[in-house]
Amino acid sequence: MSDYLKNPIIEQRADPWVYKHTDGYYYFTASVPEYDRLELRRSKTIQGLGEANPVVVWTKHESGPLSNLIWAPELHYINGKWYIYFAAAPTDQVTDGTFNHRMFVLENESENPLEGSWIEKGQVKTDWESFALDATSFEHHGEQYLVWAQRDYDIPGNSNLYIARMENPWTLQTKQVMLTKPELSWETTGFLVNEGAAVLKRNGKIFITYSGSATDENYCMGLLTADENSDLLDPASWDKSPEPVFKSEPKHNQFGPGHNSFTVSEDGQQDILVYHGRNYTEIEGDPLYDPNRHTRAQVFNWNPDGTPNFGVPVPDEK
C-alpha cells in the first residue's frame, strides 16, 4: 500500500498543509502562485485533494500590511475553532536583504471551515519587529505552542526558528526562544535560511522538521528532536540532526523538496509526508516566482531508534 499515492497531488501549490480532521476529511491549503489569496479544499482522500474544488476564504487587502505576498497558510483546529496562520507583507520589495512579512491569524467558528466567516484576529506579535513567517502551532501536555521563522538582525541570514508558549491562538504568552539558526552547509546554500517548521509527535519524542537554503534544488529538510517530557522552551532540550533528512533526488527528477506537513493515510495505519518540490532545476529568474513547486506526498517509515525515516522523494507518475 506504500505506493498508493501518485505524485504530484496538486500542481502549482507550494508550502502545502494537509490536516486530517475528526470528520474524516483531509483539509488542504498552500501558497498559490499569485500570492494574493487563501484557499481551502477538502477531500475524503489525499489523492482526491487534487480534484477538490478550492474555496477562496480570504483575499489580500488593497494596501497596508496584508496587501502583498500572501505566503504559507496553515489550517489548525484549536479549542473547537478553526484558525489559519499565514504571512503577509506591505510591499513586494526587499528591504535590507529580506522581505517584510509578518504573521497573521484568521478565526472561524463554523463546523466546516470552507463555510462561515473568517475573522481577522490580527498580527502575532513577537519580541521584536522583523521578517517573520511560517507559523505552525501544536499542543503538548495541555499547552499550545507556536513555532515560526524570523530574522534576528544580530544573526547572519534570513531567518531562524523560534518557539513560544501561547496565551491564545493569536497571542504569545512567553518570550521567544531560538531553536536553530542556519549554520551548516546544507542550510546556507544560496541563502541562510531555517523556515517551514512542522511538528510530529511519536515514540516519546517531539520532532520538528524545517527547511533550509534557497528555494531551488538546494532546498532540503532538517530535523530537531526533543524528549516529550523535556522543557520545550529550553534550547538545550533540542538536538539538531547534522545532515538533511530529505533532499533532492536527481535520479527521480525531484528537486528542492521541503516546507512539509504531516498527515496519516485514510486507514490511519501509515504516516504521510506532504511537501513541495520541482521536477527540474533550470529556473529562469528568481525561484520564488517559478510557479512549479507542486504538492507531493509519500509514505514514510521509522528507524529502530524511533526517529522518522523519510527516504528519498519518489518519482512523479508517468
Side-chain angles (χ1 to χ4, degrees):
M1 197 59 181
S2 62
D3 61 351
Y4 78 104
L5 294 168
K6 305 301 183 185
N7 285 324
I9 303 293
I10 307 174
E11 293 192 351
Q12 296 195 340
R13 289 297 181 269
D15 314 321
W17 177 261
V18 175
Y19 164 67
K20 188 181 184 185
H21 191 44
T22 53
D23 60 6
Y25 280 99
Y26 291 92
Y27 290 86
F28 174 86
T29 189
S31 299
V32 302
E34 298 82 8
Y35 300 136
D36 64 352
R37 64 191 186 274
L38 299 177
E39 290 180 349
L40 295 178
R41 61 178 84 187
R42 71 176 190 170
S43 171
K44 288 287 190 176
T45 67
I46 298 172
Q47 199 75 53
L49 289 169
E51 287 75 51
N53 291 324
V55 174
V56 177
V57 299
W58 183 89
T59 303
K60 71 176 185 177
H61 293 193
E62 287 297 315
S63 61
L66 291 158
S67 62
N68 278 274
L69 297 179
I70 310 305
W71 286 0
E74 291 192 6
L75 177 71
H76 292 262
Y77 190 73
I78 303 171
N79 297 329
K81 298 180 183 180
W82 294 98
Y83 295 90
I84 295 178
Y85 294 91
F86 66 101
T91 171
D92 61 0
Q93 298 302 302
V94 170
T95 303
D96 194 20
T98 56
F99 289 101
N100 288 283
H101 287 76
R102 301 294 186 270
M103 301 177 293
F104 298 90
V105 186
L106 306 178
E107 180 186 72
N108 189 337
E109 297 186 7
S110 299
E111 185 175 337
N112 177 0
L114 279 66
E115 301 171 349
S117 300
W118 285 96
I119 308 301
E120 294 177 4
K121 304 301 288 186
Q123 180 185 339
V124 179
K125 291 287 191 176
T126 56
D127 289 357
W128 62 87
E129 288 288 331
S130 68
F131 177 62
L133 70 166
D134 295 351
T136 193
S137 187
F138 71 100
E139 180 275 332
H140 188 59
H141 289 168
E143 300 281 0
Q144 200 73 29
Y145 293 86
L146 195 76
V147 178
W148 72 97
Q150 186 169 2
R151 182 178 185 182
D152 180 342
Y153 289 102
D154 294 328
I155 297 176
N158 285 25
S159 59
N160 318 305
L161 281 192
Y162 296 89
I163 189 172
R165 199 161 56 239
M166 307 191 79
E167 179 180 321
N168 57 46
W170 59 92
T171 310
L172 301 183
Q173 183 181 65
T174 64
K175 293 288 188 182
Q176 66 192 73
V177 174
M178 188 175 74
L179 296 182
T180 172
K181 62 183 179 181
E183 55 196 340
L184 304 174
S185 61
W186 55 269
E187 304 173 298
T188 56
T189 304
F191 290 103
L192 282 67
V193 170
N194 282 175
E195 65 180 17
V199 178
L200 184 63
K201 297 165 65 174
R202 189 68 58 85
N203 302 328
K205 304 288 186 183
I206 298 181
F207 303 100
I208 297 179
T209 54
Y210 64 95
S211 296
S213 291
T215 58
D216 55 16
E217 69 268 24
N218 295 296
Y219 206 57
C220 59
M221 282 166 44
L223 183 69
L224 303 173
T225 304
D227 186 275
E228 65 178 1
N229 295 315
S230 64
D231 178 2
L232 302 186
L233 300 183
D234 181 356
S237 298
W238 296 90
D239 291 323
K240 178 174 176 174
S241 296
E243 299 293 335
V245 292
F246 199 61
K247 61 183 180 179
S248 293
E249 179 51 82
K251 289 188 297 184
H252 294 165
N253 289 320
Q254 298 295 311
F255 301 100
H259 204 120
N260 71 291
S261 57
F262 296 108
T263 190
V264 294
S265 58
E266 288 78 1
D267 61 8
Q269 298 303 302
Q270 292 178 304
D271 292 297
I272 308 293
L273 173 69
V274 183
Y275 60 98
H276 72 227
R278 293 187 183 87
N279 56 13
Y280 58 87
T281 59
E282 301 78 17
I283 301 168
E284 293 185 11
D286 188 335
L288 181 65
Y289 296 104
D290 177 287
N292 294 317
R293 290 182 292 175
H294 302 329
T295 293
R296 296 178 161 88
Q298 63 190 65
V299 174
F300 68 93
N301 298 302
W302 295 86
N303 295 312
D305 65 356
T307 58
N309 184 339
F310 300 118
V312 300
V314 298
D316 288 349
E317 183 182 19
K318 299 299 185 185

